[in-house]
Amino acid sequence: MFNTQEFLQSEIARNLLVGLDAPDDAAIYRVSPDRAIIQTVDLFPPVVDDAYSFGAIAAANAMSDVYAMGGDVLFGLNLVAWREDLPLELLSEILRGGAEKMREGGGVIAGGHTITDQEPKYGIAVTGMVNPQHTLTKGGAQVGDVLFLTKPLGTGILTTAGKQEIAAEQDLQDAIAWMMRLNRDAALAARAVGLQAATDITGFSLLGHSHEMASAAGAQFQFELNALPILDGAFELAKQGSIPGGTARNRDYLHDKVLLPENLSDEWDALLFDPQTSGGLLLAAPRTKRDALIREFTARDVAYWEIGNVVQGAGVRVT
Ligand code: CO
Ligand code: CO
């Protein structure tokens, strides 16, 4: 007898192109030969004081996983945890920041859900669309590829220093502007030249997310320390001890999977393992596409740094 339930399950398995089998930035589900849905969700407690900026950063961060898969954002559902004694005007500002960032990305907020919680949190469950033949995955890098990063490192250090009230105002505002910046144009540039490999740098740090890409590709990612972009103030603030809690967790997990230069300073170590909020895209480009990619970045006003290469081997090496 025909089993409807079994048929549906096998249909879902067949069309779920990216799921838990090969974890990536977002799940991808094919609905037709040239169309697939992208689904991702992210939320976290406030990283900055200003409510509007926090909303916009949380939205840019949530949308980033759609861009890291090479897709377009369609719509999102707000996820809110709110403490009852906090002014509702603050929540309105957070939601306004999120909604305006969503609109900037070409999408809309279509609903949401709120719960009561001691610690406020905000994020978005984002739905996007991509042609399944043109996805950017963590596993697409090849030996010989050039590695590009599209935002500077150090947002964990800067936001921690912001909470300690020791960051220079201009440095903090710069960090906020970077975190609010969408990865959309970087993804469009990647799509324009037909790249296959990307991820976005978030809480797992540059080393953690590169390690995921290197493992998925069966290759080694090599970075040149001096080529890595760093936010203004991050080095000094790391020296003063503005290190987020996630840094040690990242280091514990990764220390035997990465090769770092001997005598690496504590500040550089803190930056390499620094959990990023709404960080840039890490893109692997075949050498033959390098110049075309740079032209696309320039035409779209995307910041970029060429930070290393994909070589034979395993793990991540910083020289
Ligand atoms: Co991601
Ligand atoms: Co995510």
Side-chain angles (χ1 to χ4, degrees):
M1 205 180 78
F2 182 75
N3 185 322
T4 313
Q5 189 63 37
E6 260 175 37
F7 174 73
L8 267 180
Q9 287 289 327
S10 72
E11 273 300 278
I12 292 169
R14 198 170 63 79
N15 289 306
L16 188 63
L17 305 179
V18 177
L20 285 177
D21 290 345
D24 215 297
D25 293 296
I28 296 193
Y29 189 86
R30 180 175 52 206
V31 291
S32 76
D34 60 354
R35 281 193 162 202
I37 288 168
I38 307 178
Q39 189 68 62
T40 179
V41 58
D42 233 316
L43 81 163
F44 45 70
V47 286
V48 293
D49 269 349
D50 179 60
Y52 178 90
S53 301
F54 168 52
I57 290 168
N61 182 79
M63 294 157 75
S64 175
D65 279 325
V66 170
Y67 299 131
M69 302 306 283
D72 298 308
V73 167
L74 296 179
F75 64 92
L77 305 177
N78 283 328
L79 295 162
V80 179
W82 199 248
R83 215 172 69 201
E84 279 166 309
D85 60 331
L86 289 174
L88 277 177
E89 295 73 53
L90 276 182
L91 178 54
S92 308
E93 276 300 282
I94 292 172
L95 296 180
R96 191 170 69 86
E100 285 187 5
K101 191 49 69 177
M102 194 65 154
R103 212 168 308 138
E104 184 190 326
V108 292
I109 294 291
H113 184 68
T114 305
I115 59 165
T116 307
D117 195 355
Q118 269 306 104
E119 187 183 42
K121 297 170 194 78
Y122 173 61
I124 308 180
V126 185
T127 301
M129 189 77 95
V130 70
N131 180 329
Q133 274 118 49
H134 301 155
T135 52
L136 294 167
T137 60
K138 289 186 182 176
Q142 308 237 324
V143 170
D145 283 0
V146 186
L147 296 167
F148 287 91
L149 181 65
T150 64
K151 290 187 190 181
L153 303 168
T155 57
I157 291 166
L158 261 295
T159 54
T160 301
K163 286 173 188 162
Q164 298 167 328
E165 297 183 351
I166 58 169
E169 187 54 29
Q170 189 55 51
D171 292 345
L172 191 57
Q173 289 311 320
D174 283 351
I176 288 172
W178 280 109
M179 290 187 284
M180 284 173 67
R181 189 179 288 205
L182 287 177
N183 282 328
R184 185 192 198 189
D185 289 332
L188 288 174
R191 196 198 293 176
V193 298
L195 298 194
Q196 298 188 318
T199 195
D200 58 337
I201 306 301
T202 52
F204 202 22
S205 75
L206 173 70
L207 291 182
H209 290 289
S210 334
H211 183 262
E212 290 176 333
M213 277 185 80
S215 306
Q220 184 179 76
F221 276 28
Q222 248 179 37
F223 298 128
E224 212 175 306
L225 199 62
N226 294 326
L228 296 175
I230 302 299
L231 285 172
D232 285 349
F235 219 77
E236 271 309 304
L237 291 165
K239 193 172 278 182
Q240 291 170 47
S242 300
I243 316 282
T247 307
R249 282 194 295 277
N250 287 340
R251 190 187 297 110
D252 283 351
Y253 178 76
L254 292 162
H255 74 273
D256 55 354
K257 303 175 178 68
V258 297
L259 282 161
L260 303 180
E262 268 176 59
N263 309 319
L264 185 73
S265 70
D266 289 347
E267 295 80 44
W268 265 118
D269 184 89
L271 279 157
L272 291 172
F273 291 108
D274 190 44
Q276 302 301 283
T277 298
S278 191
L281 293 188
L282 175 64
L283 297 154
R287 212 158 277 278
T288 51
K289 296 186 172 179
R290 175 188 172 275
D291 294 350
L293 180 63
I294 289 175
R295 277 196 298 275
E296 290 292 333
F297 281 152
T298 308
R300 292 163 205 275
D301 217 6
V302 175
Y304 67 91
W305 291 266
E306 195 174 328
I307 62 169
N309 299 287
V310 181
V311 299
Q312 263 164 12
V316 181
R317 184 191 195 104
V318 181
T319 58

